[in-house]
Amino acid sequence: MGYKVAIVGATGNVGREILSILEERGFPADEVVALASRRSQGTEVSFGDKTLKVKALDQYDFSDTDICLMSAGGSISKEWAPKIGAQGCVVIDNSSAWRYDAQVPLIVPEVNADAITGFSKLNIIANPNCSTAQLVVALKPLHDVATIKRVVVSTYQSVSGAGKEAMDELFTQTRAVFVNDPIEATKFTKRIAFNLIPHIDVFMEDGYTKEEWKVMAETKKILDPKIKLTCTAVRVPVFVSHSESVNIEFEKPISADEARDILREAPGCLVIDNPEEDQYITPYEATGEDATFISRIREDATVENGLNLWVVSDNLRKGAALNAVQIAEVLVNRKLIQPKKKAA
Ligand SMILES: NC(=O)c1ccc[n+]([C@@H]2O[C@H](COP(=O)([O-])OP(=O)(O)OC[C@H]3O[C@@H](n4cnc5c(N)ncnc54)[C@H](OP(=O)(O)O)[C@@H]3O)[C@@H](O)[C@H]2O)c1
C-alpha cells in the first residue's frame, strides 16, 4: 500500500516539476492529486503518461492524504499549511513562510536529513530558497573537512525563480526588442531582457534584499550558525538554472585539488572543471539535471585558506521540486510516516 500525495500549486513551474520528479523517481504513491486555485479547477496537468484533473485547494479534504507538497506562494502556505498539518497530512512547503520558524525543520537531505525528526510538532517541513539549496550542497562537504569561516556569494538567478509569468515577461520583452514594440515590465521592477537586475524580493532596512537575507539566514540554519556569509542576489535574463560565484575562507588549509577530490565524492555534487578544454558548467547545460554542478575551483591567494567556486543548478529541480521530493523520500525511507489507508 502506497501513499496519497497532494500537490498544491500543481499548475505552476515548481508544481509541474514535482509531478514529473515523483514519476521519474518512482515515488511510492498510490494516488496523486493535483490542486491549485479555483481559476484552474478542471484543467489538466500531466503525470507520467496520465493526466490529472486539477481540483481547487479550498474545496479539498486532506483527512486521508499523507503528504502535501506545497508550492503556491507564501500567503497560501501561511494560511493552509497549519490546517493541512492539523489533519495529519505532512506538508513539505516550498515558500519562505515557515523556513525560519524554530518548530519547523528546514531540510536539504544531503546536508541535514537528521534534523527532520522535529517535523511532527506542526507537521510542516520547509524547503529552502533555491539559491540556498545548491549553495549548501556544495559547501557542506568542504565545511566538514576544513571548517568554513566566511562566504561571499553573488548569485545569477534565472527568471523561472519568479514563477511562470516572469518567464513569459522575459520572452515577451525579448521579442519586443527585436520587433521594436514597447517594453512593459510588470513582474520585474525594470526591463529584464538584455539586462541584469540587482533586486530580488523587497529591500530591507539594512540595504540588503530579502532574497539576500534568506540565503544568509538559511545557510546558518541548515549548515552552521557560526558561518559568516554575505550575499548579492542578481536576476539575469536566463530562463532556468541559477549560478553562483562563491568565495570561501576556511579555518584549515585546503587546496583546489583537495576540494575537487572532496566534491567529486560528495552526494548531489558533480564536478566539471577542466578549463583548458573549456569544461565548466553553464545554466543552459544544468537545466533538467538533478546535480549541483561545481566548476572553476581555484585558490584565492588574497586570503588565508581561500577558495573560489562556480556553482550551478536547476532552480526548479534541486532548488525546489527535487529537494521537496527528496524530503518526502526521507520521511518514507526512515519510516517516519505510514500510509493512512494502511493504518485504517
Ligand atoms: N521557482 C523557483 O525556483 C522556486 C524555488 C523555490 C521555491 N519556490 C516557491 O514555490 C512557490 C511557487 O513558485 P512557482 O515558481 O511554481 O510559481 P508559479 O509558476 O507562479 O505557480 C504558482 C502556483 O500557485 C497556485 N496558486 C496561486 N494562488 C493559489 C490559491 N489561492 N490557491 C491554490 N493555489 C494557488 C497557482 O495556481 P493557478 O494556476 O490556479 O493560479 C500555481 O499552480 C513560491 O512560493 C516560490 O517562492 C520557487
Side-chain angles (χ1 to χ4, degrees), residues 69-221:
L69 295 151
M70 194 162 211
S71 57
S75 57
I76 304 292
S77 295
K78 245 311 158 292
E79 179 188 349
W80 282 92
K83 294 186 202 166
I84 299 169
Q87 287 193 276
C89 174
V90 181
V91 177
I92 300 170
D93 182 41
N94 264 301
S95 80
S96 58
W98 297 95
R99 290 179 193 152
Y100 319 108
D101 188 311
Q103 292 184 290
V104 173
L106 176 62
I107 302 294
V108 176
E110 294 89 339
V111 179
N112 67 338
D114 291 345
I116 204 168
T117 47
F119 80 91
S120 54
K121 287 184 199 121
L122 297 178
N123 269 345
I124 303 173
I125 303 167
N127 213 31
N129 177 273
C130 32
S131 296
T132 312
Q134 65 186 68
L135 179 66
V136 294
V137 167
L139 293 182
K140 158 81 174 160
L142 302 175
H143 186 51
D144 285 347
V145 172
T147 313
I148 295 171
K149 269 168 63 179
R150 178 170 184 259
V151 182
V152 181
V153 55
S154 302
T155 71
Y156 303 71
Q157 299 183 214
S158 65
V159 292
S160 58
K164 56 187 191 297
E165 288 169 13
M167 295 176 81
D168 292 343
E169 185 153 312
L170 172 58
F171 180 84
T172 310
Q173 287 185 359
T174 305
R175 191 188 157 280
V177 170
F178 284 113
V179 299
N180 222 8
D181 273 353
I183 306 240
E184 276 178 51
T186 51
K187 282 299 283 183
F188 297 111
T189 46
K190 309 225 176 199
R191 157 180 162 166
I192 184 67
F194 305 98
N195 201 7
L196 306 170
I197 308 176
H199 175 185
I200 304 180
D201 210 331
V202 294
F203 281 105
M204 300 176 70
E205 267 182 18
D206 60 5
Y208 283 82
T209 61
K210 187 82 185 284
E211 182 80 356
E212 292 160 350
W213 178 85
K214 287 175 194 168
V215 176
M216 301 189 259
E218 292 173 23
T219 302
K220 284 173 182 285
K221 181 164 174 178

Side-chain angles (χ1 to χ4, degrees), residues 9 11-14 36-37 39-40 71-73 76 94 160 163-164 315-316 319:
T11 53
N13 272 341
V14 176
S37 75
R39 292 180 294 274
S40 305
S71 57
I76 304 292
N94 264 301
S160 58
K164 56 187 191 297
N315 55 297
L316 300 177

Side-chain angles (χ1 to χ4, degrees), residues 28-75:
D30 271 0
E31 192 178 344
V32 174
V33 183
L35 301 173
S37 75
R38 286 191 187 202
R39 292 180 294 274
S40 305
Q41 197 171 6
T43 60
E44 290 183 339
V45 289
S46 305
F47 176 55
D49 51 15
K50 293 186 223 111
T51 50
L52 305 176
K53 270 229 155 53
V54 176
K55 298 181 180 174
L57 167 66
D58 59 3
Q59 294 173 349
Y60 183 73
D61 174 6
F62 283 87
S63 56
D64 67 347
T65 302
D66 301 295
I67 300 171
C68 171
L69 295 151
M70 194 162 211
S71 57
S75 57

